[in-house]
Amino acid sequence: AQKVTQAQTEISVVEKEDVTLDCVYETRDTTYYLFWYKQPPSGELVFLIRRNSFDEQNEISGRYSWNFQKSTSSFNFTITASQVVDSAVYFCALSEARNSGNTPLVFGKGTRLSVIA
Amino acid sequence: DTGVSQNPRHKITKRGQNVTFRCDPISEHNRLYWYRQTLGQGPEFLTYFQNEAQLEKSRLLSDRFSAERPKGSFSTLEIQRTEQGDSAMYLCASSLSVESYEQYFGPGTRLTVT
């Protein structure tokens, strides 16, 4: 069975601090995909990144970086030099590969990040 | 470039009434998903379509819920005899059916059952 755990319910940081959001997943499949989505106060989920299970390279996009480690089943997300606009709920999600296409997303409960000016 | 749209954005209804929501996916996307999100939780999968075929339904989708995608374009989600426990945000997402493609979400329909 698929499961995504985001142990941090809420995090509060002061602007310009770095912050890491944790994500631990469970799956029996060898081929799967991991995602991060951002849900700002407006409510619409915004896609941030997709990672497949065969690609363990870390990725950096501007102030965002992601650390994927299969050995610990983790896919952590770091925001460097946080800004007030980063305040949102962040969700980690998992999808397994099938011949007919990916399974629907299984989401964690989310981490609410508050960046204080 | 038009994203996923959902209507209405908000719906307040009395318990026992029927409600219907609409989702218009990104035009070239052949997969369409419905999720439900309650306060403080992540979205939970309800059902999804590939073109007009409904491929999977979650156990969350009781027999009061029905979804259609008649021409493989827009989709509707109907809830009959609403209950207070149905109050939630109903999210629609679309994607290409090619393996690994990400889902793009609409703004959601917030349902309040009084």
Side-chain angles (χ1 to χ4, degrees):
Chain A
Q2 308 168 57
K3 186 178 179 182
V4 175
T5 302
Q6 294 180 256
Q8 303 150 309
T9 307
E10 293 192 37
I11 299 176
S12 185
V13 298
V14 176
E15 204 171 21
K16 297 184 184 176
E17 285 185 352
D18 299 347
V19 58
T20 295
L21 310 181
D22 298 333
C23 172
V24 173
Y25 63 92
E26 293 177 31
T27 176
R28 294 178 185 172
D29 278 24
T30 55
T31 304
Y32 52 90
Y33 301 89
L34 296 163
F35 303 81
W36 276 94
Y37 283 84
K38 175 182 180 180
Q39 190 171 41
S42 60
E44 191 161 339
L45 280 159
V46 177
F47 166 76
L48 295 178
I49 190 172
R50 174 190 72 242
R51 201 34 131 212
N52 75 53
S53 53
F54 296 109
D55 182 0
E56 286 193 74
Q57 275 195 333
N58 290 334
E59 182 156 339
I60 299 174
S61 175
R63 296 184 298 106
Y64 294 171
S65 62
W66 290 270
N67 183 348
F68 175 31
Q69 291 195 340
K70 285 179 77 171
S71 60
T72 55
S73 298
S74 65
F75 185 43
N76 297 337
F77 173 30
T78 297
I79 302 174
T80 303
S82 59
Q83 300 176 0
V84 172
V85 293
D86 296 327
S87 297
V89 181
Y90 291 86
F91 291 98
C92 182
L94 167 71
S95 176
E96 294 169 342
R98 296 283 183 270
N99 290 337
S100 57
N102 290 5
T103 60
L105 294 170
V106 172
F107 285 87
K109 291 189 175 182
T111 297
R112 180 177 297 278
L113 174 65
S114 298
V115 182
I116 303 164
Chain B
D1 182 24
T2 305
V4 178
S5 62
Q6 293 186 246
N7 287 289
R9 295 291 306 277
H10 303 274
K11 178 72 177 179
I12 300 173
T13 191
K14 291 185 177 178
R15 189 178 51 165
Q17 298 293 305
N18 299 343
V19 294
T20 299
F21 310 141
R22 175 175 170 134
C23 171
D24 288 88
I26 294 171
S27 60
E28 65 268 26
H29 286 182
N30 48 15
R31 283 212 166 177
L32 187 149
Y33 302 80
W34 286 99
Y35 293 84
R36 181 172 69 187
Q37 185 178 22
T38 53
L39 203 60
Q41 302 294 316
E44 294 175 296
F45 166 71
L46 292 178
T47 187
Y48 83 97
F49 294 83
Q50 179 151 322
N51 300 312
E52 63 274 12
Q54 189 172 18
L55 295 189
E56 187 176 341
K57 292 193 285 188
S58 159
R59 278 174 278 182
L60 292 176
L61 210 67
S62 77
D63 55 8
R64 296 185 298 105
F65 288 68
S66 62
E68 293 183 343
R69 195 183 182 196
K71 295 182 181 177
S73 56
F74 73 91
S75 174
T76 58
L77 177 68
E78 181 184 13
I79 309 174
Q80 296 183 325
R81 304 181 304 280
T82 52
E83 301 172 355
Q84 286 190 322
D86 297 331
S87 295
M89 177 76 87
Y90 289 84
L91 297 167
C92 177
S94 71
S95 75
L96 294 170
S97 62
V98 177
E99 184 177 297
S100 88
Y101 270 72
E102 57 272 15
Q103 296 176 24
Y104 292 93
F105 283 80
T109 295
R110 182 169 295 284
L111 172 66
T112 302
V113 181
T114 61

